[in-house]
């Protein structure tokens, strides 16, 4: 038992949040623009028809669009950080993190993506300049046929 | 369908993947926050970033992953799919500064009839300091050699 983690944080471990999103061609185009990806398979239907996908698809990490719950601003922490990592621990500053993505298939326009996220763990470690707090969030993305699309395990690191 | 991209037969373990150099500007960081609905102030408010001890607004960890993914997909083209990508950010990246993504083939195996590559990845800034490191796995399509 990690005694530096308040009970109010520990009770959130394992709680699932589910949300759904309808994917449009415009979503894919905008995501591609935001990441600086110029491959026409993400926005040109004629070009995409001649690729192995046969249609416009999202870039590999397209499900990043659905990582964060779209709660209204007043329900976010004061620093605007995602509600997924708003767990009551004695740390405020975000100091890095990690992602591990598995990609099972590309997202297509017209897909309905279900994102299921769960707080997997909260723990602390002693760092060189104080205690570091780790928040592990796992999110599974599936489509309207119930097929897995992607899975992310994200590690957020916070300190005082 | 014409297949463009690297050929399995041409790949040798321990060789480098063509690097990707990018220079995310404040607009790109803003657009990425908008499109991912990431409202964390450290990505668009310099004051908020400075309060957290950061040098400026910071490039999102997720966007750094997209740069790594682009390096890999530019290289493999239609021959293969990115199957797994893991990366860890160890230093803040700020807009207006070059970022260089590099990769090296760590392993080349055929498993269950599928051709897999494991690549070791690094991201560094213009001073040569490491921003992130990671690993990727790409899986070749069965018809990749037909192009």
């Amino acid at each position: 038992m990690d005694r530096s983690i308040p009970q109010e944080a520990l009770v959130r471990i394992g709680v699932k949040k589910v949300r759904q999103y309808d994917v449009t061609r415009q979503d894919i185009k905008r995501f591609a623009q935001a990441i600086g990806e110029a491959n026409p398979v993400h926005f040109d239907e004629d070009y995409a028809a001649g690729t192995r996908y046969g249609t416009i698809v999202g870039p590999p990490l397209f499900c990043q669009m659905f990582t964060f719950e779209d709660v209204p601003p007043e329900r976010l922490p004061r620093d605007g950080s995602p509600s997924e990592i708003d767990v009551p621990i004695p740390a405020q500053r975000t100091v890095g993190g990690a992602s591990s993505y598995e990609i099972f298939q590309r997202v297509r326009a017209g897909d309905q993506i279900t994102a299921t996220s769960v707080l997997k763990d909260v723990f602390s470690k002693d760092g060189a300049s104080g205690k570091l707090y780790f928040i592990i969030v796992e999110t599974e993305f599936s489509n309207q046929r119930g097929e897995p699309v992607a899975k992310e395990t994200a590690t957020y690191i916070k300190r005082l | 369908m014409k297949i463009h991209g690297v050929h399995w037969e041409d790949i040798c373990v321990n060789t480098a993947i063509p690097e990707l150099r990018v220079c995310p500007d404040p607009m790109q960081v803003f657009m990425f926050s908008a499109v991912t609905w990431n409202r964390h102030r450290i990505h668009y408010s310099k004051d908020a970033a400075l309060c957290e001890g950061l040098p400026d607004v910071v490039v999102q960890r997720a966007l750094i992953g997209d740069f790594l993914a682009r390096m890999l997909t530019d290289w493999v083209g239609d021959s293969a799919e990115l199957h797994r990508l893991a990366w860890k950010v160890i230093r803040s990246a700020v807009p207006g500064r070059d970022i260089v993504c590099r990769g090296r083939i760590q392993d080349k195996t055929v498993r269950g009839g599928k051709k897999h590559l494991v690549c070791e990845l690094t991201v560094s800034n213009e001073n040569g300091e490491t921003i992130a490191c990671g690993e990727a796995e790409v899986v070749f399509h069965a018809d990749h050699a037909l192009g």
Side-chain angles (χ1 to χ4, degrees), chain B residues 102-122:
Chain B
R102 294 187 177 90
R104 184 166 292 278
I105 316 298
Q106 222 174 16
D107 192 30
K108 179 183 177 185
T109 51
V110 179
R111 280 183 275 134
K114 288 191 172 177
K115 294 167 178 166
H116 294 250
L117 290 181
V118 175
C119 312
E120 176 189 50
L121 309 169
T122 59

Side-chain angles (χ1 to χ4, degrees), chain B residues 43-65:
Chain B
H43 301 304
Y44 55 89
S45 163
K46 186 165 183 172
D47 286 347
L50 294 176
C51 274
E52 293 212 12
L54 297 164
D56 196 344
V57 297
V58 290
V59 177
Q60 297 88 345
R61 163 166 52 95
L63 182 55
I64 290 170

Side-chain angles (χ1 to χ4, degrees), chain A residues 34-37 50-53 61 64-65 71 78-80 93-94 97-99 101-103 106 156, chain B residues 1 28 32 35-37 39-41 52 61-62 65-66 70 78 81 83-89 141 143:
Chain A
I35 65 171
E37 175 58 80
T51 66
R52 70 169 64 252
Y53 308 110
L61 303 182
Q64 287 175 336
M65 260 193 116
V71 297
R78 208 166 50 176
D79 65 358
R93 291 194 288 147
T94 305
S99 272
Y101 251 92
E102 287 176 87
I103 303 129
R106 296 292 190 101
Y156 299 88
Chain B
M1 187 188 75
Q28 182 173 22
F32 189 74
V35 84
T36 56
W37 215 236
R39 293 164 283 179
H40 199 172
R41 295 182 197 277
E52 293 212 12
R61 163 166 52 95
D66 286 299
R70 184 171 10 139
D78 299 320
E81 281 289 336
H83 182 67
R84 183 173 60 81
L85 178 60
W87 71 103
K88 180 168 85 171
V89 171
H141 293 292
D143 61 354

Side-chain angles (χ1 to χ4, degrees), chain A residues 34-52:
Chain A
I35 65 171
E37 175 58 80
N39 188 333
V41 74
H42 305 308
F43 56 84
D44 183 333
E45 196 64 73
D46 291 339
Y47 175 87
T51 66
R52 70 169 64 252

